[in-house]
């Protein structure tokens, strides 16, 4: 049925798929997703009590990453990891780790990690905010009952807090996954996908095909791939929300 | 009540008409203006003309825009019936917008500055006006029109050009440390070794980043010095491979040893690099002539071209006139002005640019640019390599050079990638 009359197979991409970008997105998800989810949860628990000194200010600083434009976020990441100007290489220099006292975005072995680590700051505010709202909705009675039953703090978290935060976790995980798949702006500004394609991601690859190579066929292929990949977490989210 | 409703409806209609006029109609504004023409016979006659608004898009902002606006003001003085509205757009952003707009028979402006390769591409697709009637090729530096000429039709009006003549230094810095500009390659390497030993200097040469071209400009200068204009042209056309022994030699024997010796810094953001270089963290910076307009004291600037340089890159800005313009006659008039008299005005400002129109003399230049203009006029001009090839390869080129800069041992891989990704004929 698939004859050339129906589908123009001659114009089908013959080059190898953008494996590099796909792998980088996978690495991004593997590091960024669990880190932001657990960091956001930890910070929300830690800062939930008003008596924690400066909790509002700390929350504001963390949430700042969420409210600044992504392009600005990319620029900040660029400078954070630049030798001489940025805090990260300086810290490693003070710790005596000379191999990391470099401009992270300039080296292929560190460029991807620079943008991933930077994006953790940008996105943690989201999960912290979601978990803060979730924690506020858990009735105090549950904790008082657990305390009367002799539960430890860990047991209270394990059997009260975590199960009741499950709907929030589903949303946070799905949204983070979608964000990780469509990541573009900060990579575009901070590294441009380089050096040597070391930090290339799918959305940027799509843009390169579209705007640099003016190869709309290839750009469309990557766009379809991205759409298929995003449908998976989106479907999961819808199903999970239905069962919760 | 009915009357009130009718009035309200009329009000809405009136507002809609007014707002639609405000949003989309700037190029259609036709206000009668009075123009006074003085003729030889001192007869003064007054005629009523239609005010035309031409939209121009270019990449300039800040000081560069100030210099360009001098040209625009001169054009408006010469053409009182034309008002020019300028908007800043980066070429990278335009590359995304323009193909789609052109395909739908529309254009965001009447005259647009863009990359040469992109103009040729759009010209081939029939989206641009042929400028042959307003551009005389004999009046320009040879080869300047090549990137925008397709099948004998000229689709780009050349404006002024930036030259990439070599490594800039501060005369005061050299004087303070007893340094002399080199006359041979060996002296150049010795100079770098001397600079590296100066306390407070991080590396002898600072490398610009965040945009791709600073590193590619350095590489092109090496190719033009040790391979010549001919090699650069063959690389542009794909007639010589990057893995060719002649090209490999330039990298292996000249550039890579300097990178391995740590004479170049790791790539850092190119504008902050200017500040760091100016305050003495670095001694040399390879940059285009526009740097003259970006430093505190352009008279303190000195220039070192690689000894024996045979040609220099002259990279002009080009303007195109989309065929979807509503004012083709006036747009062509502006394109002609920019390609001729406009150049004379532009080189006299702090633009740091060079004329591509031969009717501009050294006396027309801004004082700090006169010496540079002389140096450039003594060597052959060559087209910018990555701008001429353009497309996806240009970004690959920039990206691979960034890799080479921090890991010069990967030269083989870099050259192989450049060949593999080069556009197929």
């Amino acid at each position: 049925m698939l004859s050339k009359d129906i589908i123009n197979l001659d114009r089908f991409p013959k080059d190898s798929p953008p494996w590099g970008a796909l792998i980088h997105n996978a690495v991004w998800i593997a590091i960024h997703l669990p880190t932001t989810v657990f960091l956001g949860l930890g910070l929300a628990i830690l800062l939930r009590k008003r008596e924690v000194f400066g909790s509002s200010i700390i929350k504001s600083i963390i949430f700042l990453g969420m409210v600044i434009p992504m392009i600005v976020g990319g620029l900040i990441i660029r400078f954070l990891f630049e030798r001489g100007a940025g805090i990260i290489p300086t810290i490693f220099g003070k710790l005596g780790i000379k191999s990391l006292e470099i401009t992270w975005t300039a080296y292929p072995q560190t460029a991807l990690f620079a943008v991933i680590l930077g994006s953790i700051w940008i996105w943690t505010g989201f999960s912290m905010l979601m978990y803060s709202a979730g924690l506020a909705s858990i009735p105090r009675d549950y904790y008082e009952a657990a305390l009367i039953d002799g539960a430890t703090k860990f047991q209270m978290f394990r059997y009260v807090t975590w199960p009741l935060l499950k709907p929030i976790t589903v949303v946070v995980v799905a949204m983070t996954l979608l964000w990780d798949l469509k990541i573009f702006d900060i990579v575009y500004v901070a590294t441009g996908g380089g050096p040597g394609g070391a930090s290339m991601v799918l959305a940027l690859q799509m843009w390169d095909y579209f705007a640099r190579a003016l190869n709309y066929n290839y750009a469309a292929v990557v766009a379809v791939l991205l759409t298929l990949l995003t449908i998976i977490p989106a479907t999961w989210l819808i199903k999970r929300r239905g069962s919760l | 009540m009915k009357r009130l409703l009718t009035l309200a409806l009329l009000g809405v209609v009136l507002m809609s008409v007014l707002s639609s006029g405000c949003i989309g109609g700037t190029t259609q504004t036709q206000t009668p203006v009075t123009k006074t023409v003085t003729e030889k016979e001192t007869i003064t006659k007054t005629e009523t003309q239609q005010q035309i608004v031409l939209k121009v898009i270019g990449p300039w902002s800040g000081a560069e825009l100030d210099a360009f606006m001098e040209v625009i003001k001169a054009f408006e003085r010469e053409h009182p019936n034309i008002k020019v509205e300028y908007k800043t757009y980066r070429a990278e952003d335009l590359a995304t917008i323009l193909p789609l707009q052109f395909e739908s028979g529309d254009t965001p402006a009447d005259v647009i500055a863009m990359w040469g390769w992109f103009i040729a591409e759009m010209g081939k697709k029939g989206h641009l006006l042929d400028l042959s009637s307003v551009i005389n090729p004999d009046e320009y530096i040879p080869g300047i029109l090549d990137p925008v000429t397709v099948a004998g039709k000229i689709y780009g009006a050349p404006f002024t050009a930036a030259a990439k003549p070599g490594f800039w230094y501060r005369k005061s810095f050299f004087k303070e440390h007893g340094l002399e500009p080199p006359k041979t390659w060996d002296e150049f390497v010795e100079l770098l070794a001397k600079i590296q030993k100066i306390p407070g200097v991080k590396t002898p040469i600072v490398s610009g980043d965040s945009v791709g071209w600073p590193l590619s400009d350095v590489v092109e200068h090496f190719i033009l010095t040790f391979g010549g204009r001919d090699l650069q042209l063959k690389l542009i056309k794909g007639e010589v491979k990057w893995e060719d022994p002649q090209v490999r030699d330039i990298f292996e024997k000249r550039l890579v040893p300097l990178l391995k010796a740590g004479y170049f810094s790791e790539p850092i953001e190119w504008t902050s690099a200017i500040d760091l270089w100016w305050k003495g963290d670095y001694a040399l910076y390879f940059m285009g002539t526009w740097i003259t307009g970006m430093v505190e004291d352009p008279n303190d600037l000195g220039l070192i071209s690689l000894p024996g340089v045979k040609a220099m890159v002259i990279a002009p800005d080009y303007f195109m006139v989309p065929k979807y313009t509503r004012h083709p006659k006036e747009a062509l008039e502006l394109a002609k002005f920019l390609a001729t008299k406009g150049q004379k005005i532009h080189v006299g400002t702090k633009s740091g640019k060079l004329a591509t129109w031969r009717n501009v003399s050294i006396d027309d230049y801004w004082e700090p640019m006169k010496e540079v203009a002389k140096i450039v006029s003594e060597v052959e001009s060559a087209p910018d390599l990555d701008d001429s090839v353009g497309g996806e390869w240009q970004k690959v080129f920039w990206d691979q050079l960034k890799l080479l800069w921090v890991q010069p041992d990967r030269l083989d891989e870099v050259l192989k990638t450049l060949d593999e990704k080069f556009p197929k004929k």
Side-chain angles (χ1 to χ4, degrees):
Chain A
M1 285 298 284
L2 285 178
S3 81
K4 278 190 175 182
D5 300 331
I6 301 169
I7 296 172
N8 190 351
L9 293 173
D10 288 341
R11 298 189 69 180
F12 220 71
K14 291 174 185 67
D15 295 351
S16 57
W19 293 125
L22 196 62
I23 290 165
H24 295 154
N25 271 93
V27 172
W28 196 298
I29 291 167
I31 298 172
H32 183 261
L33 177 67
T35 313
T36 49
V37 168
F38 290 113
L39 202 60
L41 175 62
L43 286 165
I45 292 170
L46 202 70
L47 302 171
R48 101 178 112 166
K49 289 173 186 167
R50 282 183 181 273
E51 53 265 31
V52 174
F53 181 73
S55 66
S56 304
I57 296 167
I58 297 168
K59 272 185 183 175
S60 304
I61 292 169
I62 294 163
F63 198 67
L64 192 68
M66 272 297 291
V67 293
I68 56 165
M70 296 284 273
I71 292 287
V72 179
L75 282 173
I76 293 173
I77 290 171
R78 191 181 179 90
F79 284 105
L80 273 178
F81 288 91
E82 187 161 309
R83 181 161 62 172
I87 190 170
I88 309 292
T90 310
I91 290 171
F92 281 106
K94 297 277 180 208
L95 291 172
I97 307 169
K98 294 289 171 194
S99 59
L100 291 176
E101 195 189 4
I102 53 170
T103 300
W104 282 44
T105 51
Y107 289 83
Q109 63 270 32
T110 48
L112 182 65
F113 296 106
V115 278
I116 293 176
L117 291 176
S119 72
I120 287 173
W121 161 63
I122 287 175
W123 192 248
T124 297
F126 169 74
S127 63
M128 185 187 74
L129 192 77
M130 294 292 285
Y131 280 122
S132 294
L135 287 169
S137 68
I138 300 173
R140 303 291 309 162
D141 307 2
Y142 293 5
Y143 293 105
E144 284 165 12
L147 205 62
I148 291 163
D149 288 345
T152 62
K153 283 204 170 178
F154 176 74
Q155 283 170 327
M156 277 196 265
F157 173 78
R158 171 74 182 81
Y159 296 107
V160 179
T161 311
W162 184 242
L164 290 171
L165 285 178
K166 216 171 171 183
I168 301 287
T169 305
V170 171
V171 175
V172 171
V173 168
M175 293 299 285
T176 307
L177 209 52
L178 291 171
W179 192 76
D180 289 349
L181 283 168
K182 72 177 180 69
I183 198 78
F184 170 81
D185 333 44
I186 53 175
V187 184
Y188 177 76
V189 176
T191 64
S199 57
M200 182 59 77
V201 288
L202 283 170
L204 184 57
Q205 181 86 69
M206 177 179 69
W207 186 87
D208 269 358
Y209 283 145
F210 175 76
R212 298 282 328 178
L214 305 179
N215 190 336
Y216 307 129
N217 303 335
Y218 278 31
V221 169
V222 182
V224 170
L225 178 66
L226 258 175
T227 309
L228 291 174
L229 288 172
T230 47
I231 284 173
I232 298 165
T235 313
W236 177 73
L237 172 67
I238 292 162
K239 279 192 172 178
R240 294 290 298 182
R241 279 183 70 84
S243 67
L244 290 168
Chain B
M1 187 66 185
K2 267 188 179 177
R3 210 173 150 187
L4 196 68
L5 275 171
T6 312
L7 275 172
L9 196 65
L10 274 172
V12 170
V13 171
L14 191 67
M15 286 299 287
S16 308
V17 170
L18 283 173
S19 58
S20 65
C22 291
I23 294 161
T26 42
T27 55
Q28 296 172 55
T29 312
Q30 307 233 315
T31 319
V33 289
T34 306
K35 180 190 173 190
T36 306
V37 180
T38 309
E39 293 181 356
K40 279 184 185 173
E41 297 84 11
T42 63
I43 299 167
T44 305
K45 66 172 185 180
T46 305
E47 62 183 30
T48 303
Q49 289 192 342
Q50 298 297 308
Q51 175 93 55
I52 301 289
V53 179
L54 278 183
K55 284 185 180 173
V56 174
I57 286 179
W60 307 288
S61 59
E64 284 186 308
L65 178 58
D66 294 342
F68 180 67
M69 289 315 284
E70 293 292 316
V71 181
I72 293 300
K73 278 178 203 160
F75 176 77
E76 285 178 332
R77 275 196 298 274
E78 208 172 273
H79 302 81
N81 63 319
I82 302 174
K83 188 182 175 323
V84 176
E85 268 183 20
Y86 175 84
K87 277 185 184 164
T88 304
Y89 275 90
R90 293 184 327 146
E92 286 86 348
D93 300 328
L94 284 174
T96 323
I97 300 163
L98 292 180
L100 299 176
Q101 287 228 341
F102 287 171
E103 286 299 335
S104 63
D106 198 6
T107 177
D110 305 288
V111 178
I112 303 170
M114 200 47 185
W115 298 310
W117 68 268
F118 186 90
I119 291 177
E121 198 73 28
M122 293 299 117
K124 265 185 224 165
K125 290 183 176 171
H127 296 306
L128 307 178
L129 291 183
D130 179 10
L131 307 179
S132 304
S133 59
V134 292
I135 303 288
N136 178 2
D138 298 335
E139 293 178 356
Y140 294 89
I141 296 173
I144 283 295
L145 290 164
D146 291 354
V148 289
T149 305
V150 181
K153 288 183 177 176
I154 302 167
Y155 289 111
F159 190 46
T160 51
K164 293 44 180 316
F167 298 88
W168 299 88
Y169 65 91
R170 287 191 71 173
K171 287 176 187 167
S172 55
F173 180 91
F174 266 45
K175 197 177 168 191
E176 188 188 333
H177 297 286
L179 304 170
E180 285 290 327
K183 292 186 179 66
T184 63
W185 169 255
D186 289 338
E187 280 182 24
F188 179 68
V189 179
E190 276 170 31
L191 173 73
L192 297 179
K194 258 189 213 172
I195 294 170
Q196 202 169 31
K197 287 176 190 155
I198 297 172
V201 171
K202 289 178 180 168
T203 57
I205 307 167
V206 62
S207 311
D209 191 21
S210 85
V211 281
W213 46 262
L215 303 188
S216 66
D217 285 353
V218 176
V219 169
E220 287 177 51
H221 191 60
F222 274 75
I223 289 169
L224 289 167
T225 303
F226 301 108
R229 183 176 188 266
D230 194 42
L231 180 62
Q232 174 110 326
L233 291 176
K234 283 179 177 167
L235 282 167
I236 289 170
K237 289 175 189 163
E239 290 169 4
V240 169
K241 296 270 179 200
W242 285 86
E243 288 172 291
D244 185 280
Q246 195 187 355
V247 184
R248 181 183 287 275
D249 262 15
I250 296 171
F251 279 92
E252 265 178 1
K253 292 181 181 163
R254 308 291 180 170
L255 183 59
V256 168
L258 302 187
L259 290 168
K260 283 184 176 169
Y263 292 150
F264 283 91
S265 77
E266 57 192 16
I268 57 173
E269 201 280 323
W270 79 277
T271 52
S272 52
I274 293 181
D275 298 332
L276 296 171
W277 158 72
W278 194 254
K279 78 177 174 87
D281 284 2
Y282 306 93
L284 303 169
Y285 193 15
F286 193 99
M287 195 40 59
T289 46
W290 57 84
I291 200 168
T292 50
M294 297 180 78
V295 294
E296 283 170 31
D297 178 12
N299 294 313
D300 192 27
L301 280 176
L303 178 66
I304 297 174
S305 300
L306 281 179
V309 67
K310 295 163 188 159
M312 282 176 193
V313 167
I314 304 285
D317 290 308
Y318 295 102
F319 285 94
M320 60 182 175
V321 181
K323 77 171 184 191
Y324 314 107
T325 170
R326 287 174 183 166
H327 311 291
K329 191 171 152 260
E330 290 77 11
L332 287 176
E333 191 60 40
L334 176 57
K336 185 185 175 183
F337 185 86
L338 291 168
T340 54
K341 283 185 247 173
Q343 292 204 25
K344 216 168 195 173
I345 298 159
H346 201 225
V347 298
T349 65
K350 292 180 180 177
S351 64
K353 295 289 179 73
L354 301 162
T356 56
W357 192 45
R358 281 169 159 178
N359 297 348
V360 177
S361 73
I362 293 286
D363 294 334
D364 293 320
Y365 279 85
W366 175 44
E367 201 56 41
M369 279 299 291
K370 285 183 178 171
E371 189 58 35
V372 181
K374 261 186 219 165
I375 293 171
V376 175
S377 67
E378 284 162 9
V379 294
E380 277 188 299
S381 70
D384 191 280
L385 194 152
D386 54 291
D387 280 352
S388 301
V389 179
E392 190 189 11
W393 187 86
Q394 185 177 36
K395 201 190 165 204
V396 170
F397 185 46
W398 294 342
D399 193 34
Q400 289 299 314
L401 292 182
K402 279 185 202 175
L403 180 64
L404 183 72
W405 241 247
V406 293
Q407 295 185 342
D409 288 333
R410 292 171 76 172
L411 175 66
D412 289 346
E413 185 190 328
V414 167
L415 296 179
K416 192 170 173 246
T417 308
L418 293 179
D419 276 334
E420 280 174 0
K421 297 280 182 181
F422 198 85
K424 312 274 182 297
K425 278 183 183 172

